[in-house]
Amino acid sequence: MTTALQSLTDRAIAAARRSRDIAPREFADRATLRLRWDRRAVTATNVATALGVPVDTVLVRDDPDRHYGIGTSRMPGDLIEVHGDDGARWRFIPDLAGFNPMWGWLLLGECPYCEAPGVPLTRVAGLADLGAHLAPEFGEHGADAAPPEFHGDPGHHPDCQFAPPTTDTEAE
């Protein structure tokens, strides 16, 4: 029984360190922004369940590119990172157009046109969706197969044909 407790202790400390190192502001604010922290913990659990990975390999933090809300109440969206045993890192954002944003995500990856590293490439609700995207024999790739959120996503480079349009006030 001591081994299991040590294992949980080691995993908990490692998860806290990873959260603090990758998302220091979110980690520091976890007690004052409790609802956001709790919602992100639920999201991490849901992603881990859907992809069949340990929950301590999933981290949800502020998305540097996407903000939601109106005016002064705009807040950063969630950026979900899944860290694989092989060193791979998968990034997702919630699929806000889906039935339930807590159970559907958009896989972020490289734009085939501007090579920006974090634009929505496909919808993922589980491991099979991710596998269908990764294995070319299951379908098409590129802008034609991408979800509508690909077009106009702020993750594109500004000169990309799929970047969000700039307004006169942004250009100034």
Side-chain angles (χ1 to χ4, degrees):
M1 184 162 234
T2 305
T3 307
L5 290 177
Q6 288 174 340
S7 176
L8 176 59
T9 299
D10 292 343
R11 289 178 29 239
I13 291 170
R17 285 182 178 145
R18 185 173 47 254
S19 291
R20 187 188 61 220
D21 292 346
I22 293 174
R25 190 181 78 233
E26 292 92 330
F27 188 73
D29 290 344
R30 70 189 185 286
T32 55
L33 299 173
R34 193 78 215 166
L35 289 177
R36 186 186 307 177
W37 183 261
D38 291 349
R39 179 180 47 77
R40 288 179 172 179
V42 169
T43 297
T45 301
N46 291 346
V47 169
T49 300
L51 298 180
V53 299
V55 73
D56 60 350
T57 64
V58 181
L59 178 69
V60 183
R61 63 185 183 101
D62 286 351
D63 186 333
D65 295 321
R66 294 159 196 85
H67 291 76
Y68 304 101
I70 299 171
T72 58
S73 64
R74 288 180 54 85
M75 297 183 63
D78 290 345
L79 179 62
I80 305 157
E81 295 180 356
V82 179
H83 299 264
D85 311 7
D86 58 357
R89 183 181 71 162
W90 302 94
R91 297 181 308 143
F92 301 87
I93 57 174
D95 179 0
L96 300 177
F99 172 69
N100 182 346
M102 296 296 279
W103 283 101
W105 308 277
L106 298 169
L107 172 67
L108 299 182
E110 185 175 291
C111 173
Y113 302 93
C114 71
E115 299 178 350
V119 298
L121 298 180
T122 192
R123 287 191 153 66
V124 173
L127 199 55
D129 292 329
L130 181 58
H133 174 76
L134 297 174
E137 70 265 21
F138 290 114
E140 295 184 24
H141 294 270
D144 293 337
E149 292 83 356
F150 174 85
H151 304 274
D153 185 77
H156 289 283
H157 292 305
D159 59 344
C160 182
Q161 63 181 325
F162 297 104
T166 57
T167 62
D168 291 336
T169 55
E170 288 177 358
E172 295 174 358

